[in-house]
Amino acid sequence: LGALSLGYHKCVGYEIMPSQVEISNQLSKSLQLEDKVEFLCEDALRGSITDAGLIWLNSYAWGPEAKKSISSKILQEAPEGSKVVSYEPLDVTALDGCPKNLVLLNVFDIEASWNPRSTAYVYSVSK
């Protein structure tokens, strides 16, 4: 999405399941995007988001602590102006004391493979 539709020059995806990383990289190659899109078999909590313009979270299977940790990581590492899309509302109240804020920009219905009536929440990282 970031490379095809939004014009991002480099997109990195993090996934902990090796089979999903392999499939995703094969798809990237078949679309001739391998120089722009890379999927890494790595925990997103350990990956770099210091240059992220768009962070898309699919955190349904994450526990509450992991969800709080990724929100904190976004606020500490993502550049101001980065957009964050999540299928669940982010717990911004648990992030007091962070130097940045997550501001809710929009909520919209979206079709996902696991639920054709999903909701997406769009946030912006701001000071």
Side-chain angles (χ1 to χ4, degrees), residues 3 6 8 16 34-35 42 55 57 73 79 85 99 105 108 119-120:
L6 302 175
Y8 288 104
I16 59 172
E34 64 268 28
D35 59 331
E42 186 176 334
I55 300 166
L57 300 174
K73 179 180 181 69
V85 180
L105 299 177
F108 60 93
T119 302

Side-chain angles (χ1 to χ4, degrees), residues 44-63:
L45 292 171
R46 294 190 182 113
S48 174
I49 58 170
T50 57
D51 294 327
L54 173 66
I55 300 166
W56 196 293
L57 300 174
N58 188 356
S59 58
Y60 273 133
W62 297 11

Side-chain angles (χ1 to χ4, degrees), residues 15 20 56-61 85-88 110-120:
E15 170 60 56
Q20 296 302 309
W56 196 293
L57 300 174
N58 188 356
S59 58
Y60 273 133
V85 180
S86 177
Y87 291 108
E88 300 176 304
I110 187 171
E111 185 175 334
S113 60
W114 61 90
N115 182 356
R117 299 179 69 169
S118 294
T119 302

Side-chain angles (χ1 to χ4, degrees), residues 24-42:
S24 298
N25 281 322
Q26 288 173 356
L27 179 61
S28 173
K29 186 174 182 176
S30 73
L31 294 171
Q32 299 177 344
L33 293 171
E34 64 268 28
D35 59 331
K36 291 184 172 189
V37 179
E38 177 183 21
F39 293 89
L40 303 174
C41 190
E42 186 176 334

